[in-house]
Amino acid sequence: MGLTLTEKILKAHTVDGVFEKGKEIGIRIDQTLTQDATGTMAYLEFEAIGIPRVKTERSVAYIDHNTLQSGFENADDHRFIGSVAKKHGIWFSRPGNGICHQVHLERFGIPGKTLIGSDSHTPTGGGIGMIAIGAGGLDVAVAMGGGAYYITYPKIVKVNLTGKLNSWCAAKDVILEVLRRMSVKGGVGKVIEYTGEGVKSLSVPERATITNMGAELGATTSIFPSDEVTRQFLKAQKREDAWTALCADDDAVYDEIIEIDLGAIEPMAACPHMPDNVKTLSEIGDMKIDQVCIGSCTNSSLQDMMKVAHILKGKTVHPDVSLSIAPGSKQVLNMLAQNGALAVMIDAGARILESACGPCIGMGQSPNSKGISLRTFNRNFEGRSGTKDGQIYLVSPEVAAASAIQGVLTDPRSLGDMPEFKMPDEFIINDNMIEKPCDEKDMDSVEVLRGPNIKPFPKTEPLWESVECKCSLKVEDNITTDHIMPAGAKILPLRSNIPAISEHCFTVCDENFPARAKEMGASIIVGGANYGQGSSREHAALAPLYLGVKAVLTKSFARIHRANLINAGILPLEFANEADYDNINLGDELAISDLRDAVANGRQIVITNKTNGKEIKCNCELTERTRDIILAGGLLNYTKLKG
Ligand code: MIC
Ligand code: SF4
């Protein structure tokens, strides 16, 4: 029986476990990446593990999220990350060099290699045939130290692409179509593998748009084959030697098959407030807009920017619209500057932002009250833009640029012929904003620079024998990590300071949660389905940990967040019977006896609700490894115990 591409790469990297569907496998990690909003914590964790130099083939630290620097905190974090990287063997991409995923694709990604990154959109690397997975900072720290990364051997979904995209229809519309069909939880436990005739009509940046937003499906990762198109891309980056041809065997067996005719795709938008709330533009109809933001790791490649420039050429942004553009990397920005496209954008009235995440993570450009904002980004969760009642629509760069001119949601097909843009044979290569680490022999002379806002990783303790506590919060389905641990310009600067950032935990849902949880001392959070979807930020586990949360009981979890809870030593419980969701309420007194023993022996866990007398049966599926992590009180304790 043949293998899928996913299986080929996973098999070649499996170092622990049995290579069988549904089983946990440990894979060797060739490359890691971090960004600054998760990176400070990841490097503190790496230091705590105590391994002097990274053991990966390539580890890169990017600065791209917290670049507003509204106080000393971010600049201090940047210096900390830069110095820690230099000392321990990590390459350092300086602020201004671009968004981690865009730069990694351009300069470091290698087909067939494994990559984990402390950012959920790490699967961007799947655009060149990598197994690239988003993970919590602690998992990345362990991988930097040479440890395996553990995933459940995934189900593999084949997306068979046929035909060719019509003019003005984009890769963004393809992934929006996949989201429309599969939903934000449809990808949990799965890898999405794109194959078929249609693949070769898509460029690497287009493929990367699709794999990037596979994160919104909840998928473990997404991957394209590495073919002639990939070779050309790497060649243009002067990295042709990194190329190898990779694809699935003809007789590979998939768990699910989805057929997509690229020729039938039309321009679409994900409507507020979920990436799977997808409608065609004609379904949405005429809609006046207030803002357009173009950029983010999803749609900020040179190809995207050139399409935008062609649409803006000789035009003026509509008087009622603010248009901002953030090219994804210094390379992209530089090429736009040199080929004149940047001048076209400026001329049209675009507000040019630095090559960073910016508005995508609420770092500026929050829309006006109730403002309708079209964004080429990947997430439109409520409040993420920084404006609570902002209405965010996710669209392609083509739709965004056309609408910015017209002032209303515009189908770009109304613009006539689409200008052809050929990818350049050579990109401008200048890695002067990427610093090499020092030689190992010199590492003792590198001083790690710590600012006063950088506080140590919170202490965790071994799992309790039994728990008596209250329910400190009850939330509904599809809670995102942006609900649990909001980001944005005010809160992101606190990422290195868990006590301070914890004061904002869940405040978008209930502003009294932090104070209440602290007062309760120990507590349990109750959630619905797909709890913790979205980002990889381990702060969404560390802040509840700091506030005394012992367990989170839900209908189901998103993958990365569940792993982060386990890594933090918080018990992830699922209702054995979903109807029991109604049998726990805020403030109820809860008790779990013999907890440690039940976890150690894999028994079902029973919560007694002392307030209403109900018994609630909970499942807690743990592998031997994750069970030991929970018993030890988290991955850091476990790793230290293991020596
Ligand atoms: C995001 O897009 O939500 C982020 C900000 O990039 C996060 C990481 C973080 O919270 O720092 C992610 O996607 O993992
Ligand atoms: Fe940055 Fe947005 Fe991409 Fe997250 S999704 S890495 S915030 S650009």
Side-chain angles (χ1 to χ4, degrees):
M1 193 172 73
L3 295 178
T4 64
L5 175 54
T6 308
E7 287 166 324
K8 286 185 188 179
I9 303 176
L10 287 180
K11 196 167 181 190
H13 285 83
T14 297
V15 288
D16 195 10
V18 187
F19 198 67
E20 254 175 48
K21 283 241 175 276
K23 294 264 164 65
E24 188 177 65
I25 48 169
I27 54 171
R28 189 182 70 248
I29 295 301
D30 302 320
Q31 298 192 340
T32 64
L33 71 78
T34 56
Q35 41 89 338
D36 50 309
T38 53
T40 319
M41 219 24 92
Y43 294 112
L44 288 172
E45 289 154 353
F46 181 74
E47 285 184 313
I49 294 171
I51 291 174
R53 295 281 284 193
V54 292
K55 295 191 176 154
T56 46
E57 292 172 15
R58 174 81 77 209
S59 285
V60 190
Y62 294 90
I63 306 291
D64 55 1
H65 279 61
N66 289 326
T67 55
L68 208 55
Q69 295 170 226
S70 50
F72 65 93
E73 294 89 347
N74 298 151
D76 281 2
D77 285 353
H78 300 171
R79 285 192 341 155
F80 167 71
I81 294 174
S83 57
V84 106
K86 187 170 188 175
K87 190 179 184 83
H88 296 291
I90 299 140
W91 295 60
F92 179 59
S93 172
R94 294 168 59 186
N97 196 46
I99 306 175
C100 54
H101 310 302
Q102 175 67 25
V103 179
H104 206 84
L105 197 71
E106 291 167 355
R107 306 305 307 141
F108 295 113
I110 299 178
K113 297 280 182 187
T114 52
L115 162 72
I116 65 166
S118 61
D119 192 280
S120 64
H121 290 105
T122 303
T124 312
I128 54 169
M130 302 186 85
I131 285 287
I133 306 178
L138 194 42
D139 282 318
V140 176
V142 168
M144 285 192 286
Y149 176 61
Y150 288 83
I151 53 167
T152 308
Y153 184 120
K155 289 199 170 131
I156 302 167
V157 180
K158 167 177 172 162
V159 178
N160 190 40
L161 300 176
T162 52
K164 200 170 170 299
L165 285 170
N166 287 316
S167 294
W168 300 112
C169 302
K172 180 64 146 244
D173 301 313
V174 177
I175 186 63
L176 289 179
E177 172 63 13
V178 179
L179 271 154
R180 192 184 68 76
R181 294 200 205 176
M182 289 182 76
S183 92
V184 288
K185 45 182 187 288
V188 178
K190 300 175 185 172
V191 172
I192 318 295
E193 195 170 307
Y194 292 85
T195 64
E197 264 304 285
V199 164
K200 62 175 185 293
S201 69
L202 297 172
S203 67
V204 164
E206 287 174 320
R207 297 174 185 186
T209 294
I210 294 172
T211 58
N212 172 291
M213 272 190 85
E216 275 54 68
L217 298 164
T220 304
T221 191
S222 303
I223 189 167
F224 272 83
S226 167
D227 58 8
E228 193 50 30
V229 175
T230 323
R231 192 176 72 80
Q232 288 304 333
F233 174 83
L234 290 171
K235 186 169 174 224
Q237 291 284 349
K238 293 206 173 59
R239 301 203 295 120
E240 195 181 358
D241 53 353
W243 180 77
T244 33
L246 294 169
C247 62
D249 291 330
D250 289 341
D251 56 347
V253 178
Y254 292 87
D255 296 284
E256 224 175 286
I257 299 180
I258 293 180
E259 296 286 344
I260 293 190
D261 172 7
L262 293 174
I265 295 285
E266 56 177 305
M268 284 182 274
C271 303
H273 298 286
M274 270 302 145
D276 63 356
N277 188 12
V278 174
K279 296 198 173 106
T280 60
L281 298 193
S282 48
E283 278 169 336
I284 301 170
D286 285 345
M287 181 176 70
K288 213 170 148 2
I289 59 168
D290 302 292
Q291 188 193 48
V292 173
C293 299
I294 298 176
S296 91
C297 57
T298 326
N299 276 119
S300 59
S301 65
L302 182 68
Q303 190 179 6
D304 287 331
M305 294 293 150
M306 290 309 293
K307 287 184 190 165
V308 169
H310 277 290
I311 296 171
L312 296 182
K313 195 166 182 153
K315 307 276 187 350
T316 300
V317 174
H318 189 277
D320 297 340
V321 176
S322 160
L323 167 66
S324 65
I325 303 181
S329 67
K330 166 173 168 274
Q331 183 185 68
V332 174
L333 182 56
N334 205 359
M335 291 185 75
L336 295 174
Q338 298 203 16
N339 72 14
L342 185 61
V344 169
M345 293 171 172
I346 296 171
D347 205 41
R351 303 165 66 179
I352 306 298
L353 306 179
E354 76 171 314
S355 295
C357 300
C360 180
I361 192 55
M363 275 287 178
Q365 303 292 321
S366 300
N368 53 289
S369 301
K370 300 199 173 75
I372 296 189
S373 178
L374 303 188
R375 300 179 161 209
T376 65
F377 305 167
N378 44 33
R379 290 188 173 143
N380 58 348
F381 303 143
E382 195 172 3
R384 181 175 159 106
S385 67
T387 301
K388 185 129 183 25
D389 55 10
Q391 304 293 309
I392 312 299
Y393 291 76
L394 307 176
V395 296
S396 68
E398 290 87 332
V399 172
S403 307
I405 305 289
Q406 304 295 333
V408 289
L409 180 66
T410 301
D411 189 330
R413 290 175 296 185
S414 63
L415 300 183
D417 288 343
M418 187 176 75
E420 275 300 311
F421 171 69
K422 194 181 155 307
M423 291 287 281
D425 293 332
E426 277 187 19
F427 287 86
I428 298 172
I429 311 295
N430 182 355
D431 290 331
N432 62 344
M433 293 295 279
I434 300 175
E435 287 183 10
K436 282 190 191 154
C438 73
D439 288 339
E440 191 161 357
K441 63 176 177 28
D442 300 328
M443 65 174 286
D444 289 343
S445 64
V446 179
E447 187 198 347
V448 174
L449 307 168
R450 278 170 232 276
N453 187 49
I454 300 176
K455 302 281 185 267
F457 187 85
K459 285 219 162 51
T460 59
E461 46 190 36
L463 186 69
W464 290 9
E465 297 297 340
S466 53
V467 174
E468 295 256 347
C469 66
K470 286 188 180 169
C471 168
S472 55
L473 187 74
K474 184 172 178 183
V475 285
E476 66 277 19
D477 287 354
N478 287 328
I479 284 295
T480 72
T481 52
D482 281 287
H483 291 107
I484 306 173
M485 198 58 263
K490 292 194 195 87
I491 304 177
L492 267 183
L494 305 174
R495 280 291 180 92
S496 318
N497 185 338
I498 298 297
I501 206 169
S502 298
E503 296 299 327
H504 302 272
C505 185
F506 265 120
T507 46
V508 282
C509 301
D510 180 345
E511 56 182 29
N512 299 320
F513 170 73
R516 184 167 61 240
K518 268 202 269 184
E519 200 195 310
M520 287 177 172
S523 70
I524 291 181
I525 291 175
V526 174
N530 199 25
Y531 177 91
Q533 69 162 320
S535 86
S536 68
R537 64 189 72 145
E538 58 190 338
H539 303 76
L542 298 180
L545 170 76
Y546 181 80
L547 296 172
V549 173
K550 297 288 168 204
V552 180
L553 169 60
T554 69
K555 293 182 186 167
S556 64
F557 288 95
R559 178 187 66 88
I560 307 178
H561 185 61
R562 183 176 190 274
N564 284 342
L565 287 173
I566 293 173
N567 288 351
I570 297 178
L571 200 59
L573 299 173
E574 290 180 18
F575 290 103
N577 174 2
E578 284 194 6
D580 275 337
Y581 176 82
D582 297 328
N583 289 330
I584 301 194
N585 289 308
L586 179 64
D588 284 0
E589 304 241 4
L590 310 171
I592 314 176
S593 49
D594 290 334
L595 175 61
R596 211 181 150 82
D597 194 58
V599 169
N601 294 300
R603 282 202 315 273
Q604 196 168 49
I605 290 160
V606 181
I607 299 183
T608 307
N609 187 339
K610 292 172 79 184
T611 306
N612 61 14
K614 303 264 186 203
E615 297 240 299
I616 293 153
K617 294 200 176 78
C618 311
N619 296 331
C620 182
E621 270 186 37
L622 296 170
T623 62
E624 214 179 298
R625 187 188 66 93
T626 49
R627 184 200 63 200
D628 290 348
I629 293 175
I630 284 286
L631 291 172
L635 183 57
L636 214 48
N637 288 358
Y638 168 85
T639 310
K640 282 187 194 152
L641 278 176
K642 269 185 65 180

